[in-house]
Amino acid sequence: MSKWLDNAIFYEIYPQSFNDTNADGIGDFHGIIEKLDYIKELGCNAIWINPCFLSPFGDAGYDVADYCRVAPRYGTNEDLKQVFEEAHKRNMHVLLDLVPGHTSVEHSWFKESMKAEKNEFTDRYIWTNSIWESPEGMASLRGISDRDGSCAINFFSHQPALNYGFYQPDPEKPWQQSFDDKGPQATLAAMEDVMRFWLNMGCDGFRVDMAGSLVKNDPEGKGTIRLWQQVRKFLDAEFPDAAMVSEWGEPDKSLLGGFHMDFLLHFGPSHYNDLFRCDEPFFSKRGKGDISAFVETYKKNYEKTARKGLICIPSGNHDMDRLSRRLQCDELKIAFAFLLSMPGAPFIYYGDEIGMRYVESLKSVEGGYNRTGSRSPMQWDDSTNAGFSTAPSNDLYIPMDPNKNRPTAKASIENPDSLYHEIKKLIQIRQSHESLKSRGTIEFVYAKKDQYPLAYLRESENEKILVVINPSAQAQSFDYNCTFKETIYSFGGEANAENQIVTIPGQSVGFYRI
């Protein structure tokens, strides 16, 4: 087990938008190395780098053309190895983004699989037997090669689906292979080779894209769980310290599959967006939000995972609107008090620590579409292109936030009341209390429908901390019999506990040892 995950605070780097050191308008590995001290100073001790492999970039690198070669725009394999080494010098860890579900149409595997002559890659992807037959429930590519058949795709039409088999193959469709068949097993062995390559290079593990979607016709996830258990055996034998974080959204399944933590999805049944990204977010000071459905879903998953609570809740990521599109100022500080006091490893999306804004009405870049506004370049200072790049502004990967009052890291560091400093303080508090780290237990004390505040108890062997969060502008109370022995953290005013009632001022948060 990767013990470092117990106190990991992740910083997500979208590499093309982070820091450009060669003036081509695109971020690079040397840019990451240059900013490792900034990330460490914030308090983050782990990094997740979005896909950085060779790609035609039809989907910002999630369409891989070669898993073992980095995209030249970021540097070389040797440069990425240097990222690992420089991170390790600072006692930081690095996860790469593994995309095992599909490749680009430009991958050599796919080019070989299109050939009419049978070869070792014929079954690397999901092909039907006839050009006139589409895989049921999936879009497909057809008429693109001499090979007879249609090829299943994931998401965009240039992302052919890799073949890990079907949990319940249809006997009338012989092209639907079992997970144990030679083709799917060869696909998995190839993906293990990719993992082996980067782990030997110094990578500390992987965040796995859409980890729950690999085996098809698998409604309960049993086949995909079995697949990841096979991967777990390989890792335990060769790389027992490798960390695995899944983008699955069902922690009871992903943890059973051998992942250490599960990444909460912003779609599906989690109600995650009830908190930050809806018309009336719970963390808005208007006080019209509802957190109850999120809490109920979280509690169910928590119980399913034997109360391990290893559910990662990100501030955002490259697929979501930025937090600041709906929340501002103190609302953001209160939201981060929640994110940094929940179980599981917190993930901070680059720029969220300074309140970077969603840039409206941008033209889609590399398949970003509505997501493009959340991928604008990091704003470091008030120099050219906010310190991201010395390239002409027209050459930037994505246009900068044009607002003359756009936040910058430099201004945030210089302002002691900034969001940056509040996050830094919260990270320090989390790291100094076992009960607030990833594995401390949680019990929700107050989370009523359409009501405020939110209160939960974090507990470790030697400590109990009551977290009370009131994003609404009005003071709120709830019944709870406790005595505050110590105020560990407060923002916006302190709560009090009297006569079995806890009362907390509007727009405030407190962590209290009880």
Side-chain angles (χ1 to χ4, degrees), residues 5-6 261 308-310 343-345 430 436-440 458:
L5 278 176
D6 290 352
M261 293 185 179
K308 290 178 182 175
L310 301 176
R430 179 185 176 96
L436 292 175
K437 292 182 183 179
S438 294
R439 289 181 171 271
R458 297 296 313 278

Side-chain angles (χ1 to χ4, degrees), residues 322 357-360 362 369-376:
R322 283 202 178 267
R357 304 182 181 106
Y358 178 90
V359 183
E360 304 286 346
L362 288 180
Y369 300 99
N370 62 301
R371 305 172 296 178
T372 304
S374 295
R375 301 175 177 183
S376 60

Side-chain angles (χ1 to χ4, degrees), residues 20 24-26 377 385 388-389 391-400:
D20 170 24
D24 65 355
I26 297 176
N385 297 320
F388 163 69
S389 173
S393 59
N394 287 341
D395 289 348
L396 298 187
Y397 171 71
I398 288 173
M400 301 293 308

Side-chain angles (χ1 to χ4, degrees), residues 80-382:
L80 181 53
K81 182 180 180 182
Q82 191 180 354
V83 172
F84 303 148
E85 291 169 349
E86 290 296 325
H88 294 160
K89 285 179 187 176
R90 293 162 175 80
N91 198 27
M92 302 167 75
H93 294 84
V94 182
L95 297 187
L96 293 182
D97 206 328
L98 185 69
V99 188
H102 50 262
T103 70
S104 161
V105 291
E106 294 188 14
H107 199 295
S108 60
W109 296 348
F110 186 67
K111 292 177 179 178
E112 290 297 313
S113 81
M114 286 196 298
K115 293 179 178 178
E117 303 79 25
K118 194 168 180 64
N119 60 64
E120 67 172 298
F121 299 100
T122 297
D123 295 327
R124 184 59 53 90
Y125 298 83
I126 301 173
W127 289 85
T128 66
N129 286 345
S130 167
I131 192 71
W132 312 116
E133 181 183 8
S134 292
E136 191 175 335
M138 300 180 72
S140 63
L141 287 167
R142 56 171 76 189
I144 55 170
S145 68
D146 293 336
R147 177 177 179 168
D148 193 7
S150 301
C151 183
I153 59 171
N154 291 339
F155 312 113
F156 295 150
S157 57
H158 50 71
Q159 293 171 322
L162 285 163
N163 179 25
Y164 295 94
F166 288 70
Y167 183 63
Q168 297 172 322
D170 185 338
E172 296 184 7
K173 296 175 179 177
W175 53 268
Q176 290 191 4
Q177 298 177 344
S178 160
F179 169 63
D180 293 312
D181 285 345
K182 188 176 178 180
Q185 282 296 307
T187 304
L188 186 57
M191 203 53 61
E192 288 177 349
D193 282 342
V194 170
M195 298 168 76
R196 184 181 286 113
F197 180 85
W198 291 110
L199 290 167
N200 278 326
M201 191 86 75
C203 165
D204 296 297
F206 302 93
R207 174 268 190 188
V208 180
D209 179 67
M210 296 304 293
S213 67
L214 300 192
V215 177
K216 306 305 182 186
N217 195 16
D218 186 22
E220 297 179 4
K222 291 179 180 178
T224 304
I225 290 169
R226 185 179 159 207
L227 178 154
W228 287 113
Q229 287 173 338
Q230 185 169 321
V231 173
R232 181 79 264 155
K233 287 180 182 176
F234 144 67
L235 291 172
D236 287 345
E238 296 186 33
F239 304 97
D241 293 330
M244 296 290 286
V245 178
S246 59
E247 184 192 34
W248 196 315
E250 296 180 272
D252 56 315
K253 295 176 181 175
S254 63
L255 297 187
L256 185 61
F259 284 92
H260 295 116
M261 293 185 179
D262 187 37
F263 205 93
L264 200 63
L265 294 173
H266 55 286
F267 54 87
S270 75
H271 290 276
Y272 167 72
N273 282 338
D274 294 359
L275 311 183
F276 313 115
R277 297 175 181 84
C278 62
D279 290 340
E280 291 293 347
F282 178 78
F283 283 95
S284 165
K285 65 183 178 183
R286 292 187 296 273
K288 296 180 179 178
D290 178 28
I291 201 168
S292 62
F294 168 84
V295 169
E296 284 307 308
T297 306
Y298 187 98
K299 282 161 62 175
K300 287 176 185 174
N301 282 329
Y302 187 65
E303 294 301 326
K304 285 179 181 177
T305 58
R307 299 175 66 82
K308 290 178 182 175
L310 301 176
I311 304 166
C312 301
I313 307 177
S315 69
N317 68 25
H318 56 286
D319 285 334
M320 309 182 209
D321 290 356
R322 283 202 178 267
L323 275 179
S324 59
R325 197 179 195 193
R326 302 279 186 170
L327 306 175
Q328 285 81 40
C329 304
D330 287 355
E331 294 171 331
L332 289 170
K333 294 178 180 178
I334 293 168
F336 269 100
F338 164 78
L339 289 164
L340 291 165
S341 63
M342 287 290 286
F347 279 72
I348 299 173
Y349 184 46
Y350 83 96
D352 278 359
E353 76 278 11
I354 61 171
M356 272 182 61
R357 304 182 181 106
Y358 178 90
V359 183
E360 304 286 346
S361 305
L362 288 180
K363 179 184 175 183
S364 178
V365 175
E366 294 185 352
Y369 300 99
N370 62 301
R371 305 172 296 178
T372 304
S374 295
R375 301 175 177 183
S376 60
M378 178 65 180
Q379 294 150 202
W380 294 106
D381 54 39
D382 53 6

